[in-house]
Amino acid sequence: MKSTFKLVFGWAFWVVGLLLSVDLKAQAFDQSLLCQGRYYTEAEGKAALEKFAATYTNRKGWEKRADRIRRGIWEGANLEGLPTNTPLKPIIHSKRTYDGYTVENIAFESIPGFFVTGNLYRPLEPQKSYAAILSPHGHGTNPRFGEDVQKRCAALARMGAIVLAYDMVGTGDSDQTIHKHPYALQLQTHNSRRAIDFLLSLPNVDPKRIGITGESGGGTQTFLLTALDKRIAVSVPVVMVSAYHFGGCVCESGMPIHKSPDHQTSNVEIAALAAPRPMLLVSDGKDWTSNTPEVEYPYIRNVYRLYGKEKLVQNHHLPTEGHNYGINKRKGVYPFLAQHLKLSLANITNAQGEIDESFVTVEKPEVLRVFNAAHTRPAYAILGDEAVTKLLQSYAKTASIKK
């Protein structure tokens, strides 16, 4: 009985301690500037867009606002100072060959000592040059191993793209810190930037044909990276762009990227920073994207109209479906990416003219894992929440000194 009490008490003390430590770390920035979860009501979200739209009347006015929004992300996520020129030191192993594509397990260092982990899907058919697509996933239990992620990556590879499915911080093989780390947004955004570097380091990848698509929290990563990095040529955020919902996880809204003492924005405007590059908004009727055809999409299309490129933004809306990246979502995404990244839709189309993913081999999680007994993580990896915090803060101090 006493041992049980000690165990329960010890566990409770550890949890409370962890929560307190996370809370204290989070106080490094002004909590009143955070816009989290359903920050607005639906009506307030729509009204906010109308207020934002009144601040500009032409392309020059929008671009001035866009610069402030982009700077707000950059500063709010504390990205300045994080290194983009350190060696990636890629680890690539365990190649498997399937029907029209291959899969490998990969890791690389986004910061010395911190590893981005995932799987690399490549087309089996050789090409002179390759499009490349980043595939961030949403929340769940190790979603990189999920069937939907595997199917979309394999299909896009068979269409001719090199595809990188990579873990959110704290999921899959990326267990050097917890997912709820207060700087998860900073770290994941940086990881995505370095993921482009990794793809461009591969032979014959075309730097003008880089795309990204992810759902839910991966949708947030999709539009954030597109907003910040012009190397993204095509963007497809799935079931995430909303006028009133800002993302409920610290990796989406746990740092002040939407608001500062002199500006306020929402994920709709952040997504609009993709203009005039091709973008497909994927939405459904059973989550916070249910109003997309009437609210979010028209706002973003009006931004594209300022560039004379409104045809480059589209909305694939499924009013009877819910929050996922299911087959009907993918059926809308594949043609869009095929068109704008010069991929072969015919490679995944059956004799009846329908998109067919039956060729995909869905692998077990243990096969997809990067680090295991045969392939261990390098001993110098930075481990633990405190150690990762100190690592990130060390670069912030460096940036401060440089100023």
Side-chain angles (χ1 to χ4, degrees):
M1 183 71 178
K2 288 183 178 180
S3 61
T4 301
F5 176 79
K6 287 181 180 179
L7 179 64
V8 173
F9 181 81
W11 178 85
F13 183 81
W14 177 84
V15 170
V16 171
L18 175 63
L19 291 174
L20 286 173
S21 68
V22 168
D23 182 63
L24 287 172
K25 292 172 194 169
Q27 297 302 320
F29 41 79
D30 186 348
Q31 301 290 290
S32 70
L33 298 178
L34 295 182
C35 303
Q36 297 180 295
R38 301 197 176 192
Y39 182 74
Y40 292 134
T41 65
E42 293 183 44
E44 288 170 342
K46 183 179 180 180
L49 288 182
E50 293 170 355
K51 183 178 179 180
F52 300 156
T55 64
Y56 59 90
T57 58
N58 52 35
R59 176 175 165 178
K60 183 178 180 180
W62 160 253
E63 290 185 341
K64 180 179 179 180
R65 180 167 178 80
D67 286 344
R68 182 64 189 92
I69 295 168
R70 192 174 289 108
R71 180 160 53 89
I73 302 169
W74 193 262
E75 294 175 350
N78 201 19
L79 292 166
E80 185 176 0
L82 292 181
T84 56
N85 59 354
T86 53
L88 294 168
K89 299 182 181 178
I91 299 168
I92 304 177
H93 65 80
S94 305
K95 184 175 182 179
R96 286 89 67 196
T97 300
Y98 296 115
D99 187 356
Y101 68 99
T102 64
V103 188
E104 296 161 285
N105 304 345
I106 72 97
F108 61 87
E109 292 184 51
S110 61
I111 304 173
F114 193 91
F115 291 85
V116 177
T117 50
N119 300 106
L120 193 65
Y121 296 73
R122 308 197 208 207
L124 201 55
E125 184 178 342
Q127 300 174 41
K128 290 183 179 179
S129 69
Y130 298 89
I133 300 172
L134 295 174
S135 182
H137 60 71
H139 291 91
T141 304
N142 299 327
R144 173 167 62 87
F145 307 143
E147 184 174 312
D148 285 354
V149 172
Q150 293 191 52
K151 285 186 173 180
R152 76 170 180 255
C153 292
L156 290 167
R158 197 178 190 192
M159 289 166 63
I162 295 175
V163 186
L164 174 62
Y166 57 111
D167 287 316
M168 280 183 166
V169 171
T171 70
D173 289 284
S174 182
D175 58 358
Q176 293 175 244
T177 187
I178 58 171
H179 181 64
K180 296 290 186 179
H181 192 287
Y183 300 144
L185 191 158
Q186 175 191 26
L187 188 51
Q188 286 190 174
T189 304
H190 182 71
N191 286 351
S192 292
R193 294 168 66 209
R194 297 311 314 269
I196 302 177
D197 295 337
F198 170 74
L199 287 174
L200 289 174
S201 74
L202 301 175
N204 301 320
V205 167
D206 185 349
K208 295 182 179 179
R209 290 193 292 151
I210 305 294
I212 183 169
T213 181
E215 83 286 6
S216 193
T220 300
Q221 292 179 66
T222 295
F223 59 69
L224 281 178
L225 183 64
T226 305
L228 294 173
D229 203 313
K230 295 295 186 181
R231 293 178 296 177
I232 295 296
V234 184
S235 181
V236 183
V238 177
V239 297
M240 197 59 224
V241 178
S242 171
Y244 66 94
H245 183 64
F246 286 61
C249 181
V250 292
C251 76
E252 302 172 274
S253 55
M255 298 182 79
I257 63 171
H258 301 97
K259 185 178 181 180
S260 74
D262 69 348
H263 96 293
Q264 171 84 56
T265 189
S266 72
N267 286 340
V268 181
E269 290 201 299
I270 292 175
L273 296 179
R277 293 165 286 173
M279 178 169 65
L280 176 67
L281 301 170
V282 180
S283 55
D284 64 76
K286 296 182 180 179
D287 66 14
W288 44 79
T289 63
S290 60
N291 300 325
T292 294
E294 294 79 31
V295 178
E296 291 86 357
Y297 176 51
Y299 187 93
I300 295 174
R301 191 177 58 217
N302 284 336
V303 171
Y304 273 72
R305 186 173 289 120
L306 298 176
Y307 294 86
K309 300 290 185 179
E310 59 266 35
K311 291 183 180 180
L312 291 183
V313 62
Q314 297 178 22
N315 175 213
H316 180 60
H317 187 67
L318 298 163
T320 63
E321 294 204 2
H323 192 72
N324 57 47
Y325 205 150
I327 182 59
N328 290 326
K329 310 282 199 321
R330 299 195 296 274
K331 284 181 177 179
V333 171
Y334 294 150
F336 189 84
L337 289 175
Q339 177 186 354
H340 294 290
L341 291 177
K342 300 178 183 178
L343 304 176
S344 175
L345 192 62
N347 285 359
I348 60 167
T349 303
N350 61 24
Q352 289 72 44
E354 301 168 335
I355 288 173
D356 184 356
E357 298 175 333
S358 62
F359 66 90
V360 178
T361 297
V362 177
E363 298 184 310
K364 293 181 179 180
E366 55 266 28
V367 177
L368 292 159
R369 284 197 175 276
V370 181
F371 299 128
N372 51 36
H375 302 91
T376 58
R377 182 167 48 204
Y380 61 84
I382 305 299
L383 299 177
D385 303 337
E386 292 289 346
V388 171
T389 298
K390 289 178 181 178
L391 176 67
L392 295 171
Q393 290 178 339
S394 71
Y395 288 104
K397 290 177 181 178
T398 300
S400 178
I401 291 170
K402 286 181 179 179
K403 287 180 181 179

